[in-house]
Amino acid sequence: MFRTALRNVLAHKARLLMTVLAVMLGVAFVSGTLVFTDTLGNALRNQSAKSYDDVAVAVTTYADQREEKTPGITAATLKKIQGLDGVDTATGRVSGFAGVADPDGKLIGNGWSNTGGNYSPGKNGKDSAYTFVDGTGPVAADRIALDKETAKRGEYHVGDRVRVATNGPVKEYTLSGVFTTEDGAVNAGGSLVLFDTEVAQKLYLRPGVFRDANVSAAPGVSAEKLLAEVKPLLPKDAEAKTGQALADEQAKQIETGLSGLNTMLLAFAGIALFVGVFLIANTFTMLVAQRTKELALLRAVGASRRQVKRSVLLEAAVVGVIASVVGFALGLGLATGLRSAMSLIGGKIPAGPLVVSPTAVIAAFAVGVLITVLAAWLPARRAAKIPPVAAMSSVHATATVKSLVLRNSIGAVLTLLGGAGIVAGAAKSGSTGRTVIAVGAFLALIGVIVLIPLLSRPVIALVRPLLKRLFGVSGKLAAQNAVRNPRRTGATASALAIGLTLVTGISVLGVTLGQAVDRMTTDNIKADYMVTMASGRPLDKSALAALQKADGVTAVSPQQATSLQVKDEYHSASAVTPGDVQKVFAFTTVSGSIDALGKGEIAVAEKTAKSNGWKTGDTLRVKFDDDKNGELKVGAVFKDNEFLSPVLLPKDIADRHGSLADIREVWLKMDGGATKANEQALVDALGDNPAMSIMDRQDIRDMFGGSVSLAMNIMYGLLAMALIIAVLGVVNTLAMSVFERQQEIGMLRAIGLDRRRVKRMIRLEAVVISLFGAVVGVGLGMFLGWAIGHTLSSEIPNYALVLPWDRIAVFLVLAGVVGVLASLWPARSAAKLNMLTAIKTE
């Protein structure tokens, strides 16, 4: 039977090609994902471990430039550590934001990973953390060193003057050297600037104080022994661990961080393979139907049902192995391509070999072979049931309406249960509702897939008159052929339905969320510009002062983060400028007036006021940031605004009580609105600082809506694999359908149906099947998009369901195009059939 199975595979190479392609693509996705994440994880772990090679003990504190309660590591403490027996070196470190301007004045890097630190040479005059490829480290106040990649992007060479922004005004330094580093921020697309230690301390902390320290051990001294000696010398806020312990912690963090990426990619690989199941099952179902006489003869000469079943499963296993081998090789190429793609978008993966783990190999082959065998199990079971007497008949067994009764009953129950689950989930909110919807969606999708053969007859019957009227005999025959075998049509349409369900659902959610964000921006903001630090860190007070003096500014208000303690509960608050805040934000007052801020009173968002039982006119006993108590009167209650904190108080009150001046944003209104001239005025006022981000209202909309668009595009890209496999399914179904209908096509040709109309008949059949699957998928996708969106409505202001009819129309048109393209080869094959040969074919 093994030889029989192998012979059948070789005899049906062309007909099994699409199955091989479907499995191959799924395996490539799985293996590529596993190899890529293994390679990335291994490279990052090696990089992390390398950075702790010479570190026996690492000391970390939470010292802050704006908070003197966290003292950090003083020079005296560091000297005591250096004097311990067994210590080779003890190096103090400080760090913070540093942005480098390119020749055009733009920031090099992505902001959040642009860092600065101190160059700390040891006894040999070198800092072991950095390897210089040109020049030397900075040992003077006006010198800096840059990492190699940043120097390259900025076209800087040793001796050049470089503009660097930290948390204050931009300063110019002379480039003293260029170095290489394994710093994770640089590999993430950022930059690293090294300053002289005294300069770095003044910039990021306080003179003579370090935030962290790395201690290396003398030969023969254990890290644990050194750790025990270092700990008693440290301040209360300091934490000390061995270098190995920190390396292990970072390795776990890397693994945790990559697990989300791994899970997401494997989920889409699973969707692609799930779609592929329909193609595989369809292929083997048709192969079994075409070989009815052959299988019956095997039974007649003594083959048992088990042997026949095993023969078909062996064919599937051989196909699975071939597809897995090719898919795994393709997956290695995919993993290599992903590494290159990350480099193109600014991410830099540390050097390292491609990691091919046993898990990736086993998973790839297990997935490829098991999916193929499982998909072929039902056709194999049907093959085993073929009675020997069928060998005497030349008519292949076809599915009857009665055989679909049980299937339809099960499908109806699953669909109803799934639909009820989706509606029940939509009635809830938050993650609980979405979990219920996920379960309901799975049941509904399976139910619809089971019901598709039943649905195909009435749905396609609706378009049959139109096809006949527009395309004559070809249209009539196409409609009849599309419903001739409901199971086959259903399986083919199901693959497209799954893909378009997901694509449509994502589109509905994406467009709805995008417009909600757009309305949120339009309804809540009156300012022309928002100024922030590109790093996400707070703005310096000098930036606010400079903006207040800028030409054309008519109103300016910061959002200075602070907090108020009322009774035992802390409330997030923002210090704003009374009088100007009303000009940069749109307020809808519930009671009182925002003008009360000018009288030293506070304004509270409606939800916060309700939850705490506060009303306009109430006097609250509060504790400020400096731990002093005071009283504040509620002067206004306003509708919640996503761009404002729940409590607003005048800036002068926050300043009097020792606020850290945590200015995250500055909002401005300008004479003439958002214009190039006004933007340039702000740039000039800020000293052409590359670290400052100046955004108008459109930029703000793009910033918030951009993440939604990016997520949608990623989803579309990942789902493309499933849609490609669905297209292969249409091609395969039509090709095999043409093969088994050779005699019929020959008869049609003999009675006058020319080649042109034969091609049209096959094309229309493909279009009908594709559009049928697309309509089912689009309908289910809109339903899911509505349900999931409903669970988000309480979390997103101005939420309103938006159905993207333009995109849905594009999806339907593309489905029709897919049908036409998928039919090109089968239609050409059908038209080229020799009439006499086809008529003689059994």
Side-chain angles (χ1 to χ4, degrees):
M1 295 304 290
F2 178 77
R3 287 199 301 270
T4 302
L6 190 58
R7 179 186 60 80
N8 285 325
V9 170
L10 295 174
H12 303 120
K13 294 187 292 292
R15 279 176 273 172
L16 289 169
L17 176 62
M18 298 302 172
T19 298
V20 171
L21 286 174
V23 179
M24 178 190 75
L25 290 173
V27 169
F29 212 146
V30 171
S31 58
T33 295
L34 294 174
V35 171
F36 172 68
T37 52
D38 285 345
T39 299
L40 181 58
N42 181 68
L44 292 174
R45 283 191 294 271
N46 289 342
Q47 179 193 62
S48 174
K50 188 175 179 181
S51 64
Y52 290 106
D53 276 350
D54 298 325
V55 178
V57 176
V59 181
T60 305
T61 73
Y62 301 94
D64 192 293
Q65 186 179 31
R66 299 166 300 156
E67 179 55 79
E68 295 186 5
K69 293 178 182 178
T70 52
I73 302 168
T74 63
T77 301
L78 189 64
K79 191 172 182 179
K80 289 179 184 178
I81 294 172
Q82 289 170 336
L84 290 172
D85 290 337
V87 171
D88 184 21
T89 61
T91 307
R93 299 292 184 191
V94 289
S95 60
F97 169 75
V100 180
D102 66 14
D104 297 325
K106 303 298 183 182
L107 183 68
I108 297 175
N110 48 30
W112 61 268
S113 59
N114 291 341
T115 57
N118 65 304
Y119 177 72
S120 183
K123 298 173 185 177
N124 61 357
K126 297 180 180 179
D127 190 328
S128 59
Y130 311 103
T131 302
F132 279 80
V133 295
D134 192 13
T136 60
V139 289
D142 66 337
R143 303 297 176 96
I144 62 165
L146 293 177
D147 68 272
K148 184 179 177 180
E149 190 63 29
T150 301
K152 180 181 176 181
R153 284 188 283 176
E155 300 177 2
Y156 291 122
H157 305 281
V158 172
D160 288 349
R161 297 290 284 176
V162 182
R163 297 175 70 246
V164 180
T166 52
N167 290 331
V170 180
K171 293 182 180 179
E172 279 198 355
Y173 299 86
T174 299
L175 182 62
S176 67
V178 176
F179 59 89
T180 59
T181 177
E182 293 298 325
D183 187 277
V186 174
N187 285 325
S191 62
L192 177 59
V193 183
L194 294 182
F195 300 91
D196 175 69
T197 295
E198 290 185 5
V199 174
Q201 287 175 327
K202 290 177 183 177
L203 285 172
Y204 300 126
L205 208 52
R206 289 177 291 280
V209 178
F210 299 94
R211 181 176 287 117
D212 308 316
N214 293 332
V215 183
S216 62
V221 179
S222 71
E224 287 73 17
K225 179 179 180 297
L226 206 57
L227 177 64
E229 294 179 357
V230 168
K231 277 187 173 181
L233 303 178
L234 301 177
K236 290 182 180 179
D237 75 320
E239 182 180 11
K241 293 182 180 180
T242 64
Q244 185 59 52
L246 281 176
D248 292 342
E249 283 184 10
Q250 287 201 8
K252 288 181 181 177
Q253 291 171 0
I254 290 167
E255 187 175 342
T256 302
L258 290 176
S259 65
L261 173 65
N262 204 30
T263 300
M264 182 186 73
L265 292 175
L266 287 177
F268 283 96
I271 292 169
L273 287 166
F274 183 57
V275 172
V277 165
F278 294 96
L279 191 158
I280 299 164
N282 230 9
T283 300
F284 279 94
T285 297
M286 288 186 280
L287 284 175
V288 167
Q290 292 168 10
R291 287 159 47 200
T292 301
K293 290 182 66 176
E294 175 189 329
L295 294 172
L297 282 170
L298 285 174
R299 291 291 314 283
V301 298
S304 65
R305 286 188 173 185
R306 181 177 296 178
Q307 286 177 311
V308 171
K309 183 178 179 181
R310 193 181 301 158
S311 171
V312 177
L313 292 178
L314 278 172
E315 288 182 49
V318 171
V319 170
V321 169
I322 295 170
S324 297
V325 170
V326 180
F328 186 76
L330 188 61
L332 295 180
L334 179 63
T336 304
L338 284 172
R339 289 183 66 173
S340 302
M342 285 195 69
S343 298
L344 290 175
I345 61 175
K348 181 184 174 185
I349 299 178
L354 201 67
V355 178
V356 183
S357 66
T359 302
V361 177
I362 293 169
F365 280 84
V367 164
V369 176
L370 284 176
I371 288 292
T372 311
V373 171
L374 287 174
W377 183 79
L378 277 176
R381 186 168 173 269
R382 292 193 196 104
K385 289 184 177 181
I386 295 174
V389 72
M392 295 181 287
S393 172
S394 61
V395 179
H396 299 162
T398 58
T400 63
V401 175
K402 289 183 179 179
S403 67
L404 297 173
V405 172
L406 178 61
R407 174 185 179 132
N408 295 336
S409 301
I410 294 172
V413 170
L414 288 174
T415 303
L416 288 173
L417 286 174
I422 293 171
V423 173
K428 299 179 180 291
S429 60
S431 58
T432 302
R434 289 189 285 276
T435 301
V436 174
I437 288 173
V439 175
F442 178 76
L443 291 175
L445 191 59
I446 297 298
V448 168
I449 288 169
V450 173
L451 278 178
I452 272 185
L454 175 67
L455 296 173
S456 63
R457 289 182 180 276
V459 172
I460 294 176
L462 292 175
V463 298
R464 186 183 298 170
L466 180 64
L467 290 173
K468 184 179 179 181
R469 187 178 304 113
L470 293 176
F471 304 103
V473 174
S474 296
K476 179 181 179 180
L477 291 173
Q480 290 174 345
N481 290 335
V483 294
R484 176 182 294 184
N485 191 323
R487 280 179 174 163
R488 183 183 303 170
T489 298
T492 306
S494 293
L496 276 171
I498 294 168
L500 282 172
T501 294
L502 298 172
V503 169
T504 304
I506 290 169
S507 297
V508 171
L509 274 177
V511 172
T512 298
L513 292 177
Q515 293 202 14
V517 168
D518 193 62
R519 283 193 297 272
M520 179 177 69
T521 306
T522 304
D523 295 346
N524 293 328
I525 296 174
K526 293 165 68 176
D528 296 314
Y529 291 101
M530 177 182 75
V531 177
T532 62
M533 285 287 286
S535 62
R537 291 177 170 85
L539 288 155
D540 189 76
K541 288 181 179 179
S542 61
L544 176 60
L547 289 170
Q548 288 171 332
K549 298 174 184 176
D551 293 339
V553 172
T554 58
V556 55
S557 177
Q559 276 222 75
Q560 180 173 314
T562 184
S563 64
L564 298 173
Q565 183 181 352
V566 182
K567 296 181 179 179
D568 294 326
E569 187 176 355
Y570 283 91
H571 296 274
S572 173
S574 286
V576 298
T577 304
D580 282 2
V581 70
Q582 299 96 308
K583 298 176 183 177
V584 295
F585 289 106
F587 286 93
T588 302
T589 52
V590 178
S591 59
S593 171
I594 300 298
D595 293 337
L597 288 168
K599 304 174 185 177
E601 299 175 2
I602 63 173
V604 183
E606 184 180 23
K607 289 181 182 178
T608 301
K610 281 185 178 179
S611 63
N612 290 277
W614 301 340
K615 303 184 298 297
T616 300
D618 287 353
T619 299
L620 308 179
R621 185 78 178 168
V622 303
K623 181 183 283 188
F624 295 97
D625 282 344
D626 58 358
D627 291 332
K628 291 182 180 179
N629 295 315
E631 291 185 346
L632 290 174
K633 184 178 179 181
V634 178
V637 174
F638 61 92
K639 289 281 186 183
D640 289 71
N641 184 321
E642 289 302 305
F643 294 92
L644 289 167
S645 295
V647 178
L648 304 179
L649 74 158
K651 186 177 182 299
D652 59 340
I653 294 179
D655 290 341
R656 285 201 305 269
H657 288 280
S659 172
L660 295 177
D662 190 356
I663 303 173
R664 298 287 172 174
E665 308 153 1
V666 176
W667 298 82
L668 302 108
K669 191 76 176 173
M670 300 192 72
D671 187 15
T675 64
K676 288 185 178 181
N678 280 339
E679 183 175 342
Q680 188 59 48
L682 297 181
V683 170
D684 294 340
L686 293 169
D688 196 13
N689 192 324
M692 299 289 186
S693 174
I694 301 172
M695 292 184 282
D696 60 21
R697 266 187 275 185
Q698 185 58 52
D699 293 330
I700 297 169
R701 280 198 290 265
D702 292 342
M703 179 180 68
F704 287 99
S707 57
V708 176
S709 299
L710 177 62
M712 285 177 63
N713 291 334
I714 291 173
M715 296 289 188
Y716 287 156
L718 292 172
L719 286 172
M721 185 74 72
L723 293 174
I724 290 171
I725 293 174
V727 173
L728 293 177
V730 178
V731 175
N732 208 29
T733 297
L734 289 173
M736 298 189 77
S737 178
V738 167
F739 177 82
E740 67 182 25
R741 284 156 46 196
Q742 288 184 64
Q743 189 179 60
E744 174 189 319
I745 292 170
M747 290 294 293
L748 289 171
R749 290 290 316 283
I751 60 175
L753 197 68
D754 59 23
R755 289 184 175 182
R756 182 173 56 85
R757 285 188 287 180
V758 168
K759 285 183 179 180
R760 185 186 298 165
M761 175 184 72
I762 302 299
R763 281 198 297 268
L764 289 173
E765 183 179 346
V767 170
V768 166
I769 293 173
S770 297
L771 285 175
F772 171 57
V775 168
V776 172
V778 165
L780 190 55
M782 287 194 293
F783 183 42
L784 287 176
W786 162 80
I788 296 172
H790 205 272
T791 66
L792 296 168
S793 58
S794 61
E795 304 169 22
I796 300 174
N798 304 311
Y799 178 89
L801 180 69
V802 178
L803 294 178
W805 293 112
D806 53 343
R807 298 193 187 196
I808 290 170
V810 170
F811 296 157
L812 293 175
V813 170
L814 287 176
V817 173
V818 162
V820 172
L821 294 177
S823 68
L824 292 178
W825 175 42
R828 186 169 177 271
S829 299
K832 288 176 65 178
L833 286 175
N834 182 282
M835 280 185 282
L836 296 178
T837 303
I839 290 170
K840 290 188 294 181
T841 301
E842 292 188 9

